[in-house]
Amino acid sequence: MKISKAESARHREALLQAAMRLFGERGFEKVTVAEIAAGAGLTHGAFYTHFASKEALCAESLETAMREQRERLARAAPDRAAYVTAYLSERHVLNRAGGCPIAALSCDVGRESPMVRAAFTRSLAASTQAASARASAAGQPQEGEAARAAYLARLSTMVGAVALARGVTDTRLRDEILAAAKAALLGGSPAQAGT
Amino acid sequence: MKISKAESARHREALLQAAMRLFGERGFEKVTVAEIAAGAGLTHGAFYTHFASKEALCAESLETAMREQRERLARAAPDRAAYVTAYLSERHVLNRAGGCPIAALSCDVGRESPMVRAAFTRSLAASTQAASARASAAGQPQEGEAARAAYLARLSTMVGAVALARGVTDTRLRDEILAAAKAALLGGSPAQAGT
DNA sequence: TGTACATCAGTGAACGCGCGTTCACTGATGTAC
DNA sequence: TGTACATCAGTGAACGCGCGTTCACTGATGTAC
């Protein structure tokens, strides 16, 4: 049965939201189109009236999730220490579904199609640009290239630490990883020795 | 036809090597048992005389690959800057098959079975312990807990940076990520501003 | 405003395909005598 | 040392299953008159 355009738009949005949640939890590969459709309260056939393919949804949901994460970061910008602490927390490690999409999918993106990788590239470039613009607006000592580099290095550390923490079954080692990354980023320790 | 025990042992080793290469290239999910067997010059049926399941191979190949990476790091230990530079290089980013297994599979491990995650946990614990022992043996200022934290923070940054660099299609942004992480780890820049 | 009808979002069965795993069979290996 | 035979690594067909995608059909929507 046909339904109203407003309802249809809500369904498309529900598919995107379900996809972001499920992809975050289990990655692109381990989630099926039928599960995403069911997560949005639809059957799998309806999926294709909204998206050309699963791949197209992967690209769009990644871009949407990264935009939402960027907006979260922009709101948190005044207190970077609080943002870093929340990012490197047990709560975030356990919250795959609603956590940072980059941490959840970092090593997957490199194996995806050019369409997905292009979406990732655009999103990461936008986030880097936004971080640099914030540094400039705040009149911080580092601007332009240096602010971009600082953002990318911090992001690498946070993304890597959360991925490692999620892989580990021992909660003591997990907490040690998170604390180590936090110390490196927030100046608790210099992180400059050993190999 | 039955073959000699020595030949059979070589086949098992060939399966492990093919698995490490293919898992590094494409991840656990996108590689089939038949491809691994073919990579070792066997048919898929023979696979099950060497491993109980694909999952068991994932666990063992990850543990083996991480041990090999640990040995590579131990040999490179005297010149950490060279190791970091090689890790954060275009060459490593392009060499998924023979690169660091943690960088290739970081965000996958968290979604795998307890068997695979346990293998990852053991391996990461061993690598952290080895790094701490080296720091201690070299009489470096940081020892014990601090050396462990320094290793884990550096690993997080390197793993995250390589994963991000592999995801990006723009080579300029890719090189910027690698340079940013290198600067953060080798002291080229403080990486302490912006959000 | 009321009516007739074209549109099209959603359903669910079906398609083709590839996956991990099993198993009857083969024949070289390696051991018991 | 030579011979008979039990063992078992490897083969390839087959199994059961679940995936992404397609499509004939349904019936509420929304537009033309």
Side-chain angles (χ1 to χ4, degrees):
Chain A
M1 57 270 172
K2 189 177 179 181
I3 49 124
S4 75
K5 287 193 175 180
E7 185 79 8
S8 175
R10 269 195 296 276
H11 286 177
R12 192 190 144 91
E13 185 57 29
L15 284 167
L16 261 181
Q17 291 294 331
M20 287 191 276
R21 176 167 45 79
L22 290 166
F23 288 154
E25 266 173 19
R26 307 212 296 273
F28 298 124
E29 293 295 308
K30 284 184 174 167
V31 175
T32 69
V33 167
E35 282 177 311
I36 295 165
L42 298 170
T43 58
H44 60 278
F47 176 87
Y48 292 91
T49 63
H50 294 289
F51 300 96
S53 62
K54 185 188 178 185
E55 183 198 353
L57 173 69
C58 289
E60 186 168 340
S61 78
L62 178 62
E63 197 153 7
T64 303
M66 285 181 73
R67 176 165 47 243
E68 291 185 359
Q69 181 68 22
R70 188 155 66 243
E71 289 162 1
R72 242 172 285 166
L73 174 52
R75 279 193 296 277
D79 189 352
R80 195 174 85 227
Y83 181 78
V84 169
T85 299
Y87 199 106
L88 296 169
S89 67
E90 177 186 2
R91 184 191 171 87
H92 186 202
V93 166
L94 297 177
N95 181 25
R96 290 175 159 91
C100 174
I102 312 183
L105 300 163
S106 59
C107 77
D108 290 295
V109 176
R111 306 178 202 125
E112 293 299 318
S113 67
M115 187 195 276
V116 175
R117 297 182 63 201
F120 177 72
T121 306
R122 280 194 301 276
S123 301
L124 185 57
S127 298
T128 308
Q129 164 60 26
S132 174
R134 272 196 304 276
S136 180
Q140 285 170 352
Q142 294 180 322
E143 290 190 13
E145 294 299 304
R148 291 172 61 85
Y151 170 76
L152 288 170
R154 260 183 286 116
L155 181 65
S156 296
T157 304
M158 294 195 292
V159 162
V162 170
L164 295 180
R166 281 179 176 156
V168 145
T169 50
D170 176 18
T171 57
R172 191 133 42 174
L173 183 53
R174 184 194 70 191
D175 294 342
E176 200 180 352
I177 295 162
L178 296 174
K182 216 168 94 174
L185 292 180
L186 297 179
S189 102
Q192 289 274 26
T195 18
Chain B
M1 58 268 171
K2 191 179 179 183
I3 50 124
S4 76
K5 288 193 173 179
E7 185 79 9
S8 176
R10 270 195 297 276
H11 286 176
R12 192 191 145 91
E13 184 58 29
L15 284 166
L16 261 181
Q17 291 294 332
M20 286 191 276
R21 177 166 45 79
L22 289 165
F23 287 153
E25 267 174 17
R26 310 212 294 274
F28 298 124
E29 291 296 307
K30 285 184 174 167
V31 174
T32 69
V33 167
E35 282 176 310
I36 295 165
L42 298 169
T43 58
H44 61 280
F47 175 86
Y48 291 92
T49 64
H50 293 289
F51 299 96
S53 62
K54 185 187 179 187
E55 183 198 355
L57 174 69
C58 290
E60 186 170 340
S61 79
L62 178 61
E63 197 152 8
T64 304
M66 284 180 74
R67 178 166 45 242
E68 290 184 1
Q69 181 68 20
R70 190 155 65 240
E71 288 161 3
R72 242 174 284 165
L73 174 51
R75 279 193 296 277
D79 189 352
R80 195 174 85 224
Y83 180 79
V84 169
T85 300
Y87 199 106
L88 296 169
S89 68
E90 179 186 1
R91 184 191 171 86
H92 186 202
V93 167
L94 297 177
N95 180 26
R96 289 176 159 90
C100 174
I102 312 183
L105 300 164
S106 59
C107 77
D108 290 294
V109 176
R111 304 178 203 124
E112 292 300 318
S113 67
M115 186 195 279
V116 175
R117 296 182 65 201
F120 177 71
T121 305
R122 279 194 301 275
S123 301
L124 186 57
S127 298
T128 307
Q129 165 59 24
S132 174
R134 273 198 302 279
S136 180
Q140 286 170 353
Q142 294 181 323
E143 292 188 13
E145 294 300 304
R148 291 173 60 87
Y151 170 77
L152 289 170
R154 262 184 282 116
L155 181 65
S156 296
T157 304
M158 295 196 291
V159 161
V162 169
L164 295 179
R166 281 179 176 154
V168 145
T169 51
D170 176 17
T171 57
R172 191 133 43 175
L173 183 53
R174 184 194 69 190
D175 295 342
E176 201 180 352
I177 294 162
L178 296 174
K182 215 167 94 173
L185 292 180
L186 297 179
S189 103
Q192 289 275 26
T195 17

